[in-house]
Amino acid sequence: MRHRLWLALIQWGIVLATLVLAIRFMQQIGWSDLEQLLAAAQFSWIWLAVALLGSRGVLLAVRWIQCLPLLHLEFSRVFVLTVHLAAILLNHSTPTARLLGGVYRARVFSRRYPTTFSAVYGTVFLDQTSHQLVQAGLTWVILGGFAWHLGAARLAIALAAGLSIFVGLVLIWRRRRHPLPDSRPARWLRSAVDRRTRSLGPLVDGSRRILEILGRGLADVRLQIRLAALAVGVLLVS
């Protein structure tokens, strides 16, 4: 009973903090200046921007949908789309980067379908990890290209070498196909927790489930190709 009370207080605290931040944000907007800018703008470009912004949200939802079959259950894609769009709004209205939106996705989905929060958050973590890997790789390539174009050949070569080492490490990991929950860091974490206390057992089990989903997703080549293509699409429309 006390645990539920604290959970309810935390949830209402997050809601109130979000409302306060939203009100403060609205107060900082220069509405008269915005009205003048909109009056002078070409609405064809505005509609194009709105369409690209909406396309970005849809692509992000589709990318997460690619990860959800790892849970081995049926789900509504319309429901996933609405949840993901709500998570995007939550991310943009609170100073939590993607953390709060990801937790919201896992929380709402696990309440709707017969699965656990940890399992769903594993798909969220896989979705975000794949996106960050693609974004980092493209950024590395672009920086190397700019360095070469500006005549900094040594820097370009160093960036290319760093990217090659990273790709090589990924390929080595793929050849080993060592499940993340059974990897050395995961085994060390479990043993350290077991030595200290048994009360963190559910936390360790949840972390293990997240790592299991992440490992299976990263080992699926076809899934990673789809996620990479969607990540490039998200970056293009952004």
Side-chain angles (χ1 to χ4, degrees):
M1 185 65 182
R2 184 175 301 177
H3 173 73
R4 292 184 178 181
L5 178 60
W6 277 108
L7 182 60
L9 290 175
I10 292 173
Q11 291 174 341
W12 279 107
I14 293 174
V15 171
L16 292 176
T18 303
L19 289 176
V20 171
L21 290 172
I23 293 173
R24 293 291 299 272
F25 174 75
M26 298 292 286
Q27 291 175 344
Q28 297 299 320
I29 296 176
W31 293 104
S32 58
D33 297 335
L34 180 60
E35 183 179 1
Q36 294 176 5
L37 291 173
L38 289 175
Q42 296 183 10
F43 275 90
S44 58
W45 290 106
I46 294 178
W47 285 116
L48 176 61
V50 172
L52 290 175
L53 184 61
S55 300
R56 179 180 180 273
V58 172
L59 287 174
L60 288 171
V62 171
R63 195 180 65 194
W64 185 34
I65 289 174
Q66 304 302 309
C67 304
L68 289 174
L70 294 171
L71 301 176
H72 302 295
L73 52 81
E74 297 291 333
F75 58 90
S76 169
R77 284 165 174 77
V78 176
F79 173 76
V80 173
L81 176 62
T82 56
V83 170
H84 204 294
L85 293 178
I88 292 174
L89 294 176
L90 188 60
N91 284 334
H92 286 293
S93 60
T94 56
T96 58
R98 293 185 176 90
L99 178 61
L100 194 56
V103 172
Y104 171 81
R105 281 194 276 166
R107 180 70 172 173
V108 174
F109 191 95
S110 61
R111 283 193 167 191
R112 174 73 177 268
Y113 296 102
T115 184
T116 63
F117 173 87
S118 299
V120 183
Y121 195 80
T123 64
V124 174
F125 192 43
L126 171 63
D127 173 28
Q128 295 175 343
T129 301
S130 299
H131 176 75
Q132 295 301 326
L133 288 174
V134 172
Q135 191 173 31
L138 290 177
T139 302
W140 212 260
V141 171
I142 292 171
L143 288 177
F146 271 115
W148 185 269
H149 179 71
L150 295 176
R154 292 183 178 180
L155 178 59
I157 293 173
L159 290 171
L163 182 61
S164 300
I165 292 173
F166 174 75
V167 173
L169 292 175
V170 172
L171 292 176
I172 291 174
W173 177 83
R174 283 197 50 77
R175 288 191 63 181
R176 291 181 63 184
R177 294 280 181 105
H178 206 42
L180 288 180
D182 296 327
S183 61
R184 186 174 300 175
R187 293 199 304 269
W188 177 86
L189 177 62
R190 289 200 304 272
S191 62
V193 172
D194 289 340
R195 286 195 303 268
R196 294 179 183 274
T197 178
R198 295 292 181 180
S199 61
L200 295 180
L203 178 61
V204 175
D205 292 338
S207 302
R208 179 183 175 85
R209 182 59 172 157
I210 292 174
L211 291 175
E212 178 188 350
I213 296 292
L214 179 63
R216 286 198 287 120
L218 292 177
D220 190 333
V221 178
R222 293 182 180 179
L223 174 60
Q224 287 305 308
I225 292 175
R226 296 196 302 271
L227 294 179
L230 288 168
V232 173
V234 169
L235 293 176
L236 289 176
V237 299
S238 297

